Amino acid sequence: MPPKAKPDTAAYQKLKKDLREGNVGNLYVFHGEEAYLRDYYLGQIRQKLLPAGMEEFNLHTISGKEFDVKTLAQMVDCLPMMSQRTLIIVNDYDIYKGDKDALAAVLRDLPEYVCLVFVYDLIEYKADARTKLAALVKERGSVVPFNRQGQGDLVDWISRRFRAMDHDIGTEEAKYLIFLCGDLMNNLISEIGKIGSYARHHRITREDIDAVATPQLDAVVFQMTDAIAAGNFDRAAAVLGDLLHMQEAPIKLLSVLGKQLRQLYTARLAIEQRKGTAYLMELWGMRSAYPAERLMQSARRFSLAWCRRAVIRCGETDLAMKSTGADGEELLIGLLMELAVKKGA
């Protein structure tokens, strides 16, 4: 598996700098997984450009389904009212699939008073570098990817959110929260709200997090393999039982378990070759060291032979689920029992 390239943050950093200095450009393309940051900085642009009470006259929005270049041109021609600028937001329109020449003509002559933002939310942004339009967007505007944030930035942000609720959280507890609930900020906001309301003391504990946070599926499956590593089959079976009771499809659970076992196998190989967490992070494209550290800790409790066999048996079970018509739950439970019994092999 080739390592993932590090995301380019230059456009994102420039946007932050420009907004601090009050320099809002004429043309932006906002895209990326981190919807919270995208919406936050779109709100910052609105706040910078639109006087309070005048948004109705100076803010123009259009959805991708309703978009046509003629309508956009009409919005561009609308002069600002009691304001220096107008803001046009186009939601979920693929600029490379329509009339590119007509769109380029509008973008080429954007007035200084216009700020035009193409927002990609439900559709993926894929630039066609071969087109003149792509070169024009790069020359006249800024394509800003809002990527998932790194561990350090997320930990700082989580700490600030808890402080706003009159709570404090340690670095390790914040990392655990990210591991348990994922690293998308919109989801973390709701989890922070639940934990902050539940906690009875100023300092947030891991027990507070476990009590009310909703873990992502990958984290729950990790708890299951961790229980196997600890020799606690009852706990592993209980976790699987809870997942099946929540009506998670066995094939989906097996897919997540398969990924977890492959990661565990590579972690064990890294230990055998005296490689550290940095190697594991690069191999799996992890943005945070915490899950890599957890994997390395867990892998130390398994033999290399067990890890290899676990990956093979997971693949064989996947094939059986898809080709034999056997009951998926029974196959998954049987695999779990086999892994637990042969843990020391």
Side-chain angles (χ1 to χ4, degrees), residues 107 117-118 137 145 189 225 269 312 316 335 342:
L107 301 185
V117 186
F118 290 94
V137 170
I189 286 174
T225 56
L269 286 171
I312 293 172
E316 291 171 345
L335 174 63
K342 295 184 178 180

Side-chain angles (χ1 to χ4, degrees), residues 7-9 11-13 15-16 19 28-45 117-120 125 142-149 183-185 287:
D8 185 358
T9 63
Y12 173 64
Q13 296 300 332
L15 174 67
K16 292 170 64 176
L19 287 173
Y28 294 98
V29 175
F30 282 4
H31 70 100
E33 295 178 285
E34 192 44 86
Y36 172 85
L37 288 177
R38 183 196 67 220
D39 294 343
Y40 173 81
Y41 284 106
L42 191 59
Q44 289 290 297
I45 289 177
V117 186
F118 290 94
V119 177
Y120 286 72
Y125 175 72
S142 180
V143 178
V144 185
F146 292 94
N147 302 307
R148 294 174 184 249
Q149 297 298 283
D183 57 1
L184 286 176
M185 298 166 86
R287 288 171 293 273

Side-chain angles (χ1 to χ4, degrees), residues 211-225:
V212 294
T214 303
Q216 60 180 353
L217 184 56
D218 284 22
V220 178
V221 172
F222 186 91
Q223 291 173 352
M224 188 164 61
T225 56

Side-chain angles (χ1 to χ4, degrees), residues 46-282:
R46 290 182 59 166
Q47 186 177 329
K48 294 284 185 183
L49 298 186
L50 306 179
M54 300 304 295
E55 294 91 346
E56 181 180 350
F57 303 101
N58 299 308
L59 173 62
H60 311 284
T61 61
I62 184 170
S63 69
K65 293 181 180 180
E66 301 168 345
F67 181 90
D68 66 75
V69 176
K70 184 178 179 180
T71 301
L72 176 63
Q74 291 171 348
M75 292 178 173
V76 168
D77 288 339
C78 289
L79 294 170
M81 182 177 293
M82 300 180 66
S83 172
Q84 297 295 317
R85 307 284 299 274
T86 62
L87 174 60
I88 303 172
I89 301 174
V90 181
N91 291 300
D92 287 320
Y93 173 71
D94 190 339
I95 63 176
Y96 295 103
K97 286 191 175 178
D99 188 339
K100 294 186 283 293
D101 292 335
L103 178 59
V106 174
L107 301 185
R108 194 174 291 112
D109 295 322
L110 280 180
E112 288 298 317
Y113 61 78
V114 168
C115 176
L116 171 60
V117 186
F118 290 94
V119 177
Y120 286 72
D121 180 21
L122 301 178
I123 65 175
E124 185 180 1
Y125 175 72
K126 292 183 178 179
D128 189 347
R130 302 166 298 176
T131 63
K132 294 180 180 179
L133 179 59
L136 179 64
V137 170
K138 185 176 180 179
E139 175 190 350
R140 300 292 182 90
S142 180
V143 178
V144 185
F146 292 94
N147 302 307
R148 294 174 184 249
Q149 297 298 283
Q151 178 176 279
D153 290 335
L154 270 181
V155 167
D156 291 342
W157 176 77
I158 290 170
S159 297
R160 292 196 299 272
R161 299 290 302 192
F162 273 116
R163 280 200 299 272
M165 301 181 70
D166 197 28
H167 284 293
D168 179 44
I169 186 169
T171 298
E172 289 306 308
E173 286 72 26
K175 290 179 182 178
Y176 177 69
L177 175 60
I178 297 167
F179 172 77
L180 194 68
C181 300
D183 57 1
L184 286 176
M185 298 166 86
N186 269 339
N187 183 58
L188 285 170
I189 286 174
S190 62
E191 299 300 334
I192 290 168
K194 289 191 297 184
I195 297 164
S197 299
Y198 170 83
R200 296 293 177 263
H201 303 286
H202 179 68
R203 183 77 169 189
I204 299 296
T205 65
R206 184 171 294 201
E207 288 72 23
D208 294 328
I209 297 171
D210 286 335
V212 294
T214 303
Q216 60 180 353
L217 184 56
D218 284 22
V220 178
V221 172
F222 186 91
Q223 291 173 352
M224 188 164 61
T225 56
D226 227 22
I228 293 173
N232 190 345
F233 177 72
D234 289 343
R235 170 61 179 157
V239 172
L240 178 59
D242 288 343
L243 288 171
L244 293 173
H245 183 71
M246 292 165 59
Q247 297 186 331
E248 291 284 1
I251 192 67
K252 180 180 178 182
L253 294 178
L254 183 61
S255 174
V256 177
L257 177 59
K259 177 184 175 183
Q260 171 68 31
L261 291 174
R262 291 192 300 275
Q263 288 184 329
L264 200 63
Y265 183 31
T266 54
R268 184 66 237 183
L269 286 171
I271 292 170
E272 297 288 330
Q273 297 170 18
R274 301 185 183 278
K275 294 181 179 179
T277 56
Y279 167 79
L280 208 58
M281 290 174 65
E282 183 178 8

